[in-house]
Amino acid sequence: MALHFSSACFFCGLSKRKTLRARAVASDDAIAVKSDEDEKLKLGGSDLTVTRLGIGAWSWGDTSYWNNFEWDDRKMKAAKGAFDTSIDCGFTFFDTAEVYGSRVSFGAINSETLLGRFIKERKERTPEVEVAVATKFAALPWRLGRQSVLTALKDSLSRLGLSSVDLYQLHWPGIWGNEGYIDGLGDAVEQGLVKAVGVCNYSEKRLRGAYEQLKNRGIPLASNQVNYSLIYRAPEENGVKAACDELGVTLIAYSPIAQGALTGKYTPENPPSGPRGRIYTPEFLMKLQPLINRIQEIGEAYTKTPTQVVLNWLIAQENVVPIPGAKNAEQAKEFTGALGWRLTNEEIDELRSLASEIRPVIGFPVEKL
């Protein structure tokens, strides 16, 4: 067993400088709880410090994959609630992208536009709030050269209503032109448009190349954002996680709860709707059930939900920042319970072993470019 917080939202409403209070549940292996300042970490070798868990904004405004192909005022209010609750609970790191909810991906309203609006409205009420924004450049085939990165970044800044962003990432490796894209990231740092730069969906080989190219300019590669969860452990198997650890590059884990499949919400009789239903089929969910049952049992011992357990599993891998998507305030609040405690090494290994018996779903094909 470990330590956990007596409040479900363990640092909602606390100021940044207050020390968190916790109660001991059990054992000799207990992990000491630190202040919320210690619940932040630097991204790679950059000077950017973010919360140990961020919030993904992929679903905000999207009608091509999420939201049952519809976007309305009710969903808008829910997304705004997710943002405000995240801030209230101390999560100040938000990840978006130019293609989330854009016309390119047939979305209803751009996620960057929504995030920028939410930040502006929040700062009008609480000017002192600090939000770390991460967004991404889409390596579309017709975009060539370093200038394309700067042009796209400036468009993102306009939608966000910001003069700079904290983290700018290449969303995926391009079919060609990757060296130019990396040069564009370096230019963005030197021009003061971003604090740190990263890549997404980069293989070990590409990761090492990007790292060296930026290093030659004296710029650290802060992060590699990849699909990583208990049931999608490709980064452990293809050398990406080990390379990140070796090079001092932070791994940002997207889809850390497998788009809801690891929350226990879905069953063979109640699969997810929309495109997710073609990935997490009733047959897959049937095979997943023994793992879900064990996650629930472990969670009960800590008074934690399955979502909190699987996020804690990822955080326990070290050098990992999960960015689960929050569609409403309730989900954002639940994420807080993933921090302030730690699974035992035995539980971590047991869950990995159980998960290894499940054939993984297909990942984003660009990981292998």
Side-chain angles (χ1 to χ4, degrees):
M1 303 292 282
L3 291 176
H4 71 78
F5 293 99
S6 57
S7 168
C9 186
F10 71 91
F11 58 140
C12 286
L14 292 181
S15 71
K16 289 186 176 180
R17 293 179 176 81
K18 283 188 178 179
T19 300
L20 301 179
R21 299 182 184 275
R23 62 183 177 87
V25 175
S27 81
D28 297 334
D29 299 333
I31 305 299
V33 177
K34 303 177 182 179
S35 71
D36 60 336
E37 285 297 315
D38 294 320
E39 288 296 342
K40 292 188 174 184
L41 80 167
K42 287 178 63 176
L43 283 187
S46 75
D47 293 328
L48 177 60
T49 301
V50 300
T51 47
R52 291 298 306 267
L53 186 147
I55 301 295
W58 178 13
S59 69
W60 295 359
D62 180 75
T63 58
S64 61
Y65 191 85
W66 298 98
N67 301 305
N68 293 321
F69 310 110
E70 297 177 346
W71 187 255
D72 53 29
D73 287 343
R74 181 179 60 83
K75 291 172 182 174
M76 177 81 76
K77 291 177 181 177
K80 179 64 161 56
F83 174 83
D84 281 327
T85 299
S86 297
I87 296 292
D88 292 340
C89 292
F91 299 134
T92 57
F93 178 42
F94 294 86
D95 179 84
T96 184
E98 61 175 329
V99 297
Y100 293 167
S102 73
R103 282 177 287 182
V104 172
S105 62
F106 310 106
I109 182 170
N110 191 278
S111 174
E112 290 178 324
T113 300
L114 287 179
L115 178 57
R117 183 185 305 171
F118 296 162
I119 293 171
K120 180 181 178 181
E121 291 172 355
R122 182 64 183 231
K123 281 186 170 289
E124 288 173 352
R125 301 199 314 273
T126 50
E128 70 279 5
V129 70
E130 296 293 335
V131 178
V133 174
T135 192
K136 310 181 191 75
F137 167 85
L140 302 170
W142 55 87
R143 285 179 161 173
L144 300 174
R146 63 206 302 169
Q147 186 57 45
S148 66
V149 176
L150 294 173
T151 299
L153 171 57
K154 290 174 182 176
D155 288 341
S156 287
L157 292 175
S158 177
R159 285 187 290 270
L160 287 160
L162 301 172
S163 58
S164 67
V165 291
D166 298 272
L167 177 67
Y168 197 49
Q169 308 154 96
L170 303 184
H171 205 153
W172 58 80
I175 299 173
W176 50 69
N178 286 283
E179 289 187 358
Y181 296 154
I182 298 297
D183 283 335
L185 290 182
D187 294 344
V189 173
E190 292 176 351
Q191 293 182 26
L193 297 174
V194 301
K195 292 180 181 177
V197 291
V199 292
C200 305
N201 301 296
Y202 263 45
S203 66
E204 177 189 358
K205 181 178 179 181
R206 287 191 179 277
L207 176 69
R208 292 184 183 276
Y211 175 88
E212 291 296 332
Q213 188 175 343
L214 287 168
K215 182 180 177 182
N216 290 336
R217 295 178 63 173
I219 298 171
L221 178 64
S223 59
N224 185 17
Q225 184 178 145
V226 295
N227 188 347
Y228 188 25
S229 72
L230 183 57
I231 59 170
Y232 191 83
R233 300 180 313 286
E236 297 179 353
E237 299 157 358
N238 60 19
V240 166
K241 175 65 165 65
C244 284
D245 294 344
E246 173 195 336
L247 299 174
V249 174
T250 300
L251 190 155
I252 298 175
Y254 72 79
S255 296
I257 53 178
Q259 300 179 18
L262 287 171
T263 65
K265 174 181 179 181
Y266 301 112
T267 65
E269 297 74 32
N270 178 41
S273 59
R276 288 181 297 159
R278 296 195 292 270
I279 301 172
Y280 304 103
T281 63
E283 294 76 17
F284 181 86
L285 293 169
M286 180 72 73
K287 295 176 182 178
L288 188 63
Q289 204 58 49
L291 174 63
I292 295 295
N293 291 342
R294 183 59 184 137
I295 290 170
Q296 290 173 334
E297 289 173 358
I298 292 173
E300 288 171 1
Y302 290 101
T303 321
K304 298 295 179 182
T305 68
T307 296
Q308 293 163 350
V309 171
V310 296
L311 289 174
N312 188 272
W313 184 91
L314 269 179
I315 293 167
Q317 307 310 310
E318 302 296 341
N319 194 36
V320 175
V321 177
I323 50 168
K327 298 172 72 174
N328 54 55
E330 291 73 21
Q331 290 177 351
K333 185 175 182 180
E334 183 180 12
F335 297 154
T336 64
L339 298 177
W341 63 288
R342 188 183 186 279
L343 293 164
T344 66
N345 291 336
E346 292 75 17
E347 289 163 341
I348 291 167
D349 293 342
E350 179 189 4
L351 290 176
R352 179 183 278 106
S353 178
L354 283 171
S356 67
E357 298 176 9
I358 301 164
R359 186 176 180 179
V361 297
I362 297 173
F364 196 13
V366 296
E367 293 174 326
K368 299 179 181 179
L369 281 179

